[in-house]
């Protein structure tokens, strides 16, 4: 019994450390994205002057690219962190059972956190805050992309060659494709996570019946 608990504790510590590191990276990514937008939003009006060079339109079209790279990476890291959370929950369940604690399971460890962070379990207020956070992030990326495209179009429309090259249309289609890919990353990842959470709930129900 002691060997089993020791092994579970070692696994638990490793999972917690990995999840914590990924969460920190995620916070850094979000902070970097906000700082990037705040800085460039003020710079675009100056960059968008045709007198600043013949390729200022290209610079403007490329400005949102780092944001989409951050959004894609953040989706992978967040889904991975949540997946680690499922692993941690499974290990915690085993440790909780071995500890014989005389409290409700949802008051200990990740189960207590899930009541706030898991949108399927959270109260209405916490669900609203979660929607504001992720909705705000999406608005930031989409809004800045639209702003950059609009600013570039003001330059491109004065150049007949660029107009016939459909550079704005190509850039718009490219960012739309990136949006679809990031969205699919979230959708597929969250489906996998929900499946894992469903298995945890089934096991918990079976354990309570026994």
């Amino acid at each position: 019994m002691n060997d089993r608990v020791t092994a579970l504790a070692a696994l638990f510590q490793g999972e917690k450390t990995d999840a914590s590191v990924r969460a920190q990276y995620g916070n850094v990514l979000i902070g970097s994205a906000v700082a990037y937008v705040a800085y460039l939003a003020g710079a675009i009006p100056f960059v968008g002057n045709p007198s600043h060079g013949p390729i200022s339109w290209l610079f403007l079209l490329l400005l949102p690219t780092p944001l989409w790279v951050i959004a894609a990476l953040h989706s992978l890291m967040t889904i991975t962190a949540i997946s680690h959370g499922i692993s941690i929950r499974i290990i915690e369940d085993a440790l909780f059972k071995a500890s014989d604690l005389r409290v409700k399971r949802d008051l200990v460890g990740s189960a207590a956190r899930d009541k706030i962070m898991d949108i399927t379990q959270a109260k209405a207020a916490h669900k609203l805050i979660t929607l504001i956070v992720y909705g705000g992030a999406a608005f930031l990326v989409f809004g800045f992309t639209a702003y950059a495209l609009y600013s570039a179009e003001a330059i491109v429309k004065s150049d007949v060659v660029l107009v016939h090259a459909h550079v704005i249309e190509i850039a718009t289609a490219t960012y739309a494709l990136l949006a679809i890919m990031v969205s699919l990353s979230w959708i597929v990842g969250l489906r996998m996570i929900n499946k894992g959470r469903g298995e945890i709930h089934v096991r918990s129900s079976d354990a309570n019946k026994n």
Side-chain angles (χ1 to χ4, degrees):
M1 182 66 177
N2 289 335
D3 291 341
R4 178 173 179 272
V5 172
T6 300
L8 287 171
L11 286 172
F12 175 76
Q13 186 59 43
E15 290 284 357
K16 287 288 286 184
T17 300
D18 195 14
S20 177
V21 170
R22 291 182 183 278
Q24 291 176 7
Y25 283 152
N27 292 334
V28 170
L29 285 176
I30 293 175
S32 300
V34 172
Y36 180 77
V37 171
Y39 175 78
L40 290 180
I44 281 181
F46 301 99
V47 177
N49 190 327
S51 65
H52 280 69
I55 61 170
S56 56
W57 60 271
L58 179 60
F59 181 75
L60 287 168
L61 291 178
L62 293 177
L63 282 180
T65 303
L67 277 184
W68 286 101
V69 173
I70 290 174
L73 180 58
H74 187 261
S75 73
L76 294 176
M77 295 189 66
T78 302
I79 292 169
T80 302
I82 298 174
S83 297
H84 274 290
I86 294 175
S87 176
I88 291 170
R89 177 68 182 272
I90 293 172
I91 298 171
E92 281 184 351
D93 286 345
L95 288 171
F96 182 82
K97 185 177 180 180
S99 69
D100 291 328
L101 290 175
R102 299 182 182 276
V103 295
K104 292 182 178 180
R105 175 65 183 92
D106 61 2
L107 297 176
V108 180
S110 59
R113 179 203 62 202
D114 288 345
K115 291 192 297 183
I116 297 176
M117 298 302 295
D118 184 353
I119 198 169
T120 62
Q121 302 180 40
K123 300 295 184 182
H126 296 137
K127 288 181 180 180
L128 180 60
I129 291 298
T130 300
L131 291 175
I132 290 174
V133 170
Y134 284 96
F139 177 80
L140 186 71
V141 176
F142 281 99
F144 183 78
T145 302
Y147 181 41
L149 290 172
Y150 174 79
S151 299
E153 185 181 20
I155 299 175
V156 170
K157 67 182 181 181
S158 63
D159 190 315
V160 177
V161 176
L162 293 177
V163 170
H164 285 88
H166 302 289
V167 292
I168 298 298
E169 291 82 354
I170 293 172
T172 301
T174 300
Y175 286 122
L177 180 60
L178 286 172
I180 293 172
M181 293 173 64
V182 173
S183 298
L184 286 175
S185 174
W186 278 106
I187 292 170
V188 174
L190 290 176
R191 283 179 178 175
M192 294 171 59
I193 289 167
N194 286 334
K195 182 180 179 181
R197 283 175 172 166
E199 293 179 0
I200 290 176
H201 293 320
V202 169
R203 290 182 180 180
S204 298
S205 298
D206 293 341
N208 291 333
K209 291 178 180 178
N210 296 331

